[in-house]
Amino acid sequence: AARRALCGPGQRPVGRGIALPAGPDLRHFLKAAAAGEPGPSPELPPEPGSIPGAPKVYLETYGCQMNVSDTEIAWAILQKNGYARTKELGEADVVLLVTCSVREKAEQAIWNRLQHLKALKARRPQARAPLRVGILGCMAERLKEEILHREKLVDVVAGPDAYRDLPRLLAVAESGQQAANVLLSLDETYADILPVQTSAGGRTAFVSIMRGCDNMCSYCIVPFTRGRERSRPIASILQEVRMLSDQGVKEVTLLGQNVNSFRDLSEVQFQSVAAPGLSRGFSTVYKAKPGGLRFAHLLDQVSRIDPEMRIRFTSPHPKDFPDEASVLQLIQERHNICKQLHLPAQSGSTRVLEAMRRGYTREAYLELVHHVRDSIPGVILSSDFIAGFCGETEEDHQQTVSLLREVRYNVGFLFAYSMRQKTRAHHRLQDDVPADVKKRRLEQLIATFREEAARANAALVGQAQLVLVEGPSKRSASELCGRNDGNIKVIFPDAELEDAPECGAPGRAQPGDYVMVKVTSASSQTLRGVPLCRTTLSRAAASH
């Protein structure tokens, strides 16, 4: 978990509400994407009403949860317009790559993949219609001209807010012309696009609650590739979560670049509400935004839909936890809101944080961490860090190392800095930390994180943890894998469970079951244990 794909350093990815393959497959999907590989195509359910001879589309996803979800938005639109989906590249009439721009390595993976598709185009039998290739998402938004002109390989370019236009763009491409739409929208949230469940047995889902970001951190490309913040109407989010509950989904993650700045302006009576305060010691680059229903209201309503559905959210910004702590109070009170919080720090140096335009000091961040731990006893914390940002000195780096030790996160996402055009850092700062120094500092941060995470996870040994079963362990068919409330992976034997009065009849655990597991050992990324019994979220909460 030390390295994982994000839409932007410090910004946890956004996504559309879809039921994806059970946990291990999804984690593998995202891990592969982070390494610059396409995720494996999940098993596709039969498509009711498929039109014989319909053009077949092959979708490949790179990067973050936002892109996983954007893939499903694009597919939902194309499906309604007569396309069929294939998981076999050789069968495809259209190949669409949903891309990431957060780091140079992510973009290079796409250029490499295009070379492979160029050869595939050249080998295509003349009896078949020409293969059409499209680039979607953040890279399309950032590099439209270069993509269209480089080797003339790409037929369609569509930015994150242009997926509704895909049928028209593909029709233009069918006539032999290149077609592009990279216009960013101030209001597009795809709220009316119903999610497409790509796995019949999926037990986890992402629900997009907002798109874009207004924070303008100096290193981050997201505001330039995904546009300004805009939030979905709460009513549409609740409808989607209810639908997922009816489908048997057991865990929903509410997604946004900055979820706790959520602001639904769709209901007139709430448009004059005063803006909430910021966390003490935090600031923004923009003026306070009054009006609208806020994240605490949304979280309250979502958590009431299904008492047996876990609710997570990511990524919040540390600035948007006001002192009245209504969100923190909800997390503490509701048994189905996970006691886990992502607090992206990025650096432990106040000087570097100022250069990043994060809006807080090291001291303010640590005060927030203490406030969170006081408000939610036993909370599991995760964070993001960037190694080698512009002007970072060895002393700055050591302050980040010390922050990792002081806070002792259970989960971390750490990356070397990658300069992105259009960002404030590109215009105002120098990328002056040598690559070998970035690499060394990143390795030290990862080693420190793992050391402290191992200590934090070791504190759970001997405890009973409630685990949502995701499926078989990838390393052993005789073991099952799942996640605890803190989103830490738990491995345990796939055995006949002892009958217990509150757990129902004996039997083997299945994906989607909740199982009490006694932790027997821990590493920096994984817990191992023995299963005690199957149970429910409500029973587990009542027994504590």
Side-chain angles (χ1 to χ4, degrees):
R3 302 172 190 250
R4 194 173 181 186
L6 306 178
C7 271
Q11 305 302 326
R12 186 60 90 237
V14 184
R16 179 72 184 137
I18 56 171
L20 291 163
D25 289 337
L26 174 57
R27 316 284 174 191
H28 176 70
F29 185 104
L30 295 172
K31 184 177 179 182
E37 304 166 9
S41 297
E43 289 297 322
L44 302 177
E47 296 168 22
S50 294
I51 302 170
K56 294 182 177 180
V57 61
Y58 178 88
L59 289 136
E60 232 172 52
T61 309
Y62 295 75
C64 64
Q65 287 102 318
M66 176 75 244
N67 289 350
V68 174
S69 300
D70 275 11
T71 299
E72 300 309 320
I73 294 173
W75 167 230
I77 291 165
L78 291 173
Q79 186 181 45
K80 287 181 180 178
N81 282 270
Y83 284 81
R85 188 169 180 181
T86 179
K87 60 178 181 176
E88 299 296 334
L89 182 59
E91 293 180 355
D93 301 297
V94 176
V95 176
L96 300 176
L97 309 183
V98 184
T99 63
C100 173
S101 265
V102 66
R103 282 173 294 279
E104 185 177 354
K105 181 180 177 182
E107 292 183 348
Q108 189 56 51
I110 301 300
W111 292 120
N112 294 342
R113 185 58 165 160
L114 286 175
Q115 289 305 306
H116 177 261
L117 295 177
K118 181 180 181 181
L120 191 68
K121 263 192 167 187
R123 293 196 306 267
R124 193 171 177 87
Q126 290 188 350
R128 296 181 66 184
L131 179 66
R132 286 167 283 161
V133 174
I135 298 293
L136 314 186
C138 291
M139 189 170 166
E141 192 68 43
R142 197 179 88 80
L143 295 174
K144 168 194 165 186
E145 297 297 331
E146 185 175 354
I147 291 169
L148 288 174
H149 296 140
R150 191 163 163 174
E151 302 182 45
K152 305 291 184 183
L153 171 65
V154 175
D155 305 287
V156 168
V157 173
D161 292 345
Y163 300 142
R164 293 181 194 273
D165 202 25
L166 275 173
R168 183 190 69 82
L169 295 173
L170 287 168
V172 171
E174 197 168 356
S175 70
Q177 302 176 64
Q178 290 181 310
N181 183 347
V182 292
L183 294 175
L184 286 174
S185 168
L186 291 175
D187 52 19
E188 178 62 88
T189 61
Y190 298 107
D192 60 320
I193 305 294
L194 285 176
V196 176
Q197 187 168 352
T198 59
S199 168
R203 291 293 179 263
T204 60
F206 296 139
V207 174
S208 169
I209 67 170
M210 61 191 299
R211 295 175 75 87
C213 184
D214 288 348
N215 289 320
M216 301 300 290
C217 300
S218 64
Y219 52 78
C220 189
I221 192 65
V222 170
F224 304 97
T225 58
R226 293 199 170 270
R228 302 296 296 274
E229 280 182 14
R230 61 269 192 204
S231 301
R232 283 178 65 185
I234 285 180
S236 77
I237 297 169
L238 298 180
Q239 178 188 16
E240 189 169 317
V241 174
R242 289 189 192 100
M243 181 188 70
L244 292 168
S245 174
D246 291 343
Q247 292 173 359
V249 168
K250 291 295 186 73
E251 181 178 291
V252 161
T253 302
L254 306 178
L255 292 173
Q257 251 80 27
N258 188 175
V259 288
N260 51 343
S261 68
F262 177 88
R263 188 170 64 116
D264 172 15
L265 294 170
S266 65
E267 299 191 36
V268 176
Q269 66 268 35
F270 296 105
Q271 290 187 1
S272 59
V273 176
L278 298 174
S279 307
R280 187 164 41 246
F282 289 71
S283 63
T284 66
V285 297
Y286 54 81
K287 294 180 180 178
K289 302 174 185 176
L293 290 169
R294 300 290 175 155
F295 183 64
H297 181 85
L298 171 65
L299 190 61
D300 171 48
Q301 294 299 304
V302 168
S303 68
R304 293 176 185 273
I305 289 174
D306 183 348
E308 293 302 312
M309 177 187 277
R310 272 181 174 169
I311 307 299
R312 301 188 189 276
F313 59 88
T314 196
S315 174
H317 191 288
K319 74 178 189 305
D320 290 309
F321 288 107
D323 291 337
E324 59 265 26
S326 52
V327 170
L328 302 182
Q329 185 177 343
L330 275 173
I331 296 172
Q332 166 61 16
E333 291 176 354
R334 300 288 164 84
H335 75 275
N336 61 335
I337 302 179
C338 293
K339 310 302 184 275
Q340 172 240 334
L341 204 57
H342 186 67
L343 290 178
Q346 306 308 342
S347 175
S349 162
T350 294
R351 195 184 69 82
V352 173
L353 290 169
E354 184 177 355
M356 290 177 166
R357 299 220 299 179
R358 290 292 290 170
Y360 52 85
T361 62
R362 175 193 176 99
E363 291 72 26
Y365 179 86
L366 282 171
E367 184 179 345
L368 175 62
V369 168
H370 296 319
H371 177 47
V372 166
R373 284 183 163 153
D374 288 343
S375 302
I376 312 169
V379 66
I380 297 296
L381 296 182
S382 59
S383 194
D384 301 335
F385 288 92
I386 299 171
F389 185 66
C390 305
E392 182 186 73
T393 65
E394 194 62 31
E395 181 182 352
D396 294 325
H397 167 65
Q398 290 304 323
Q399 288 181 34
T400 301
V401 172
S402 73
L403 185 70
L404 282 166
R405 293 202 185 282
E406 184 168 350
V407 177
R408 188 171 288 178
Y409 304 95
N410 295 78
V411 180
F413 308 96
L414 303 98
F415 301 93
Y417 176 62
S418 177
M419 177 75 84
R420 302 281 78 196
Q421 290 181 353
K422 295 186 179 179
T423 62
R424 184 180 178 88
H426 182 259
H427 291 298
R428 303 284 185 90
L429 303 175
Q430 294 294 316
D431 187 9
D432 54 2
V433 179
D436 61 328
V437 175
K438 288 181 184 178
K439 182 173 182 291
R440 174 181 60 78
R441 289 178 183 173
L442 176 61
E443 288 171 352
Q444 185 178 6
L445 292 183
I446 290 173
T448 303
F449 156 71
R450 287 180 173 164
E451 183 182 330
E452 296 302 325
R455 290 194 177 106
N457 291 343
L460 300 175
V461 173
Q463 296 184 17
Q465 295 284 304
L466 183 65
V467 177
L468 175 60
V469 179
E470 297 175 334
S473 167
K474 287 206 168 290
R475 295 190 177 181
S476 172
S478 65
E479 294 181 315
L480 292 174
C481 174
R483 300 263 162 177
N484 70 354
D485 188 79
N487 208 24
I488 301 170
K489 184 188 293 183
V490 183
I491 307 290
F492 59 94
D494 180 8
E496 188 87 5
L497 297 181
E498 290 292 325
D499 192 11
E502 74 274 16
C503 299
R508 292 182 181 273
Q510 302 298 318
D513 284 348
Y514 288 106
V515 175
M516 291 301 295
V517 176
K518 184 176 181 179
V519 179
T520 56
S521 65
S523 70
S524 64
Q525 299 181 53
T526 306
L527 304 176
R528 285 186 169 272
V530 292
L532 301 177
C533 64
R534 286 178 296 182
T535 185
T536 67
L537 262 183
S538 302
R539 282 200 195 105
S543 66
H544 280 70

